[in-house]
């Protein structure tokens, strides 16, 4: 694949185009965030500040719908995840560039990041022992199935985003090759909409997984069948 072709080679060190594009996106996001937020005003917010505040409030509302009262805690991670993936998905629209998320290594890294975040927020919310205890609920026999579920959903998270973005880029390329410049606008619109949808789905799934980890202590406190019978 072109996305894995070496962009820079220094001796035994090889840096792929995907890595260079990802570094460029990180620099763009970091610098852009600094430039956009260094002149914020509480008295007379401009049009750009209003748009930024509206975006942040929309993300906060989405988080509150899943985990009420936890928006401030999860906004930095979930908001950054949504923003990075959305821009990464749209990078494929730039000539000579490919979306980093069309490379399995990038989506796998994002999925692994979500995997560790689930446990981090879960332990932070419930405590180490109560969090680990939920893997033995309602029976220790289910421990292998809980672990298999953690592994399978991480793999599915990486493969879903990778497959959708890769197929989207291939479909757009094939349509443009066949139709030439007759249908560029509909293809571009489809690419933009699908790229944003896939970013939203990935971020929402990450949020749901984190919510499950943070609410694991509630699973531990559910009454067993015997306790229910006694009551």
């Amino acid at each position: 694949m072109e996305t894995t072709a070496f962009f820079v080679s220094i001796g035994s060190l090889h840096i792929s185009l995907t890595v260079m594009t990802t570094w460029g996106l990180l620099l763009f996001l970091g610098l852009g965030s600094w430039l956009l937020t260094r002149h914020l005003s509480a008295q007379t917010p401009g049009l750009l500040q209003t748009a930024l505040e509206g975006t942040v409030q929309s993300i906060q509302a989405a988080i509150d719908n899943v985990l009420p009262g936890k928006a401030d805690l999860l906004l930095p991670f979930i908001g950054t995840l949504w923003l990075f993936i959305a821009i990464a998905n749209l990078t494929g629209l730039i000539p000579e560039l490919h979306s980093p998320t069309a490379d399995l290594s990038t989506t796998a890294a994002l999925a692994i990041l979500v995997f560790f975040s689930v446990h981090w927020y879960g332990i932070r919310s419930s405590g180490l022992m109560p969090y680990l205890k939920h893997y033995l609920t309602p029976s220790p026999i289910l421990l292998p199935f809980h672990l298999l579920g953690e592994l399978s959903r991480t793999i599915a998270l990486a493969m879903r985003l990778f497959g959708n973005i890769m197929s989207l880029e291939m479909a757009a390329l094939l349509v443009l090759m066949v139709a030439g410049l007759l249908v560029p606008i509909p293809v571009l619109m489809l690419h933009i909409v699908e790229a944003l949808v896939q970013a939203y789905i990935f971020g929402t799934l990450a949020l749901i997984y984190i919510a499950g980890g943070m609410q694991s202590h509630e699973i531990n406190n559910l009454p067993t069948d015997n306790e229910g019978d006694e009551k």
Side-chain angles (χ1 to χ4, degrees):
M1 293 178 59
E2 291 186 33
T3 53
T4 58
F6 292 138
F7 184 75
V8 176
S9 295
I10 305 175
S12 59
L13 176 63
H14 304 291
I15 303 177
S16 68
L17 180 59
T18 297
V19 174
M20 293 297 295
T21 305
T22 303
W23 287 352
L25 287 177
L26 294 176
L27 179 62
F28 171 76
L29 288 172
L31 183 60
S33 299
W34 178 73
L35 291 174
L36 292 174
T37 58
R38 62 175 183 162
H39 293 306
L40 297 180
S41 173
Q43 303 297 327
T44 57
L47 182 61
L48 182 58
Q49 180 176 337
T50 302
L52 290 174
E53 291 177 352
T55 301
V56 172
Q57 289 174 356
S58 297
I59 297 175
Q60 288 178 324
I63 296 174
D64 272 327
N65 287 335
V66 178
L67 274 173
K70 301 296 183 179
D72 292 339
L73 176 64
L74 297 177
L75 177 64
F77 177 68
I78 297 298
T80 302
L81 199 62
W82 263 326
L83 186 60
F84 173 79
I85 295 176
I87 296 179
N89 291 350
L90 294 172
T91 304
L93 295 174
I94 302 175
E96 303 301 325
L97 289 181
H98 295 273
S99 301
T101 44
D103 191 317
L104 184 58
S105 61
T106 302
T107 59
L110 291 171
I112 292 172
L113 185 61
V114 172
F115 171 83
F116 284 111
S117 297
V118 169
H119 302 304
W120 164 254
Y121 284 110
I123 293 172
R124 181 174 178 176
S125 175
S126 308
L128 179 60
M129 295 311 297
Y131 178 77
L132 295 178
K133 183 181 177 182
H134 93 274
Y135 285 102
L136 304 176
T137 305
S139 171
I141 298 176
L142 297 179
L143 176 61
F145 298 98
H146 284 302
L147 298 179
L148 182 61
E150 294 282 349
L151 178 62
S152 61
R153 77 181 185 186
T154 302
I155 295 175
L157 199 60
M159 293 299 296
R160 180 185 292 108
L161 182 59
F162 160 69
N164 282 316
I165 300 303
M166 184 187 66
S167 61
L168 179 63
E169 288 198 344
M170 291 181 63
L173 178 61
L174 290 174
V175 170
L176 291 176
M177 288 176 61
V178 172
L181 298 178
L182 297 179
V183 288
I185 295 179
V187 171
L188 291 178
M189 292 300 297
L190 175 63
H191 194 125
I192 292 173
V193 171
E194 182 66 16
L196 295 178
V197 167
Q198 292 304 320
Y200 177 77
I201 291 175
F202 190 99
T204 301
L205 288 174
L207 179 58
I208 292 173
Y209 296 156
I210 291 174
M214 294 180 69
Q215 295 172 346
S216 61
H217 64 283
E218 297 180 6
I219 298 176
N220 296 334
N221 294 331
L222 289 176
T224 62
D225 292 338
N226 293 334
E227 291 175 344
D229 293 339
E230 292 175 0
K231 292 181 180 179

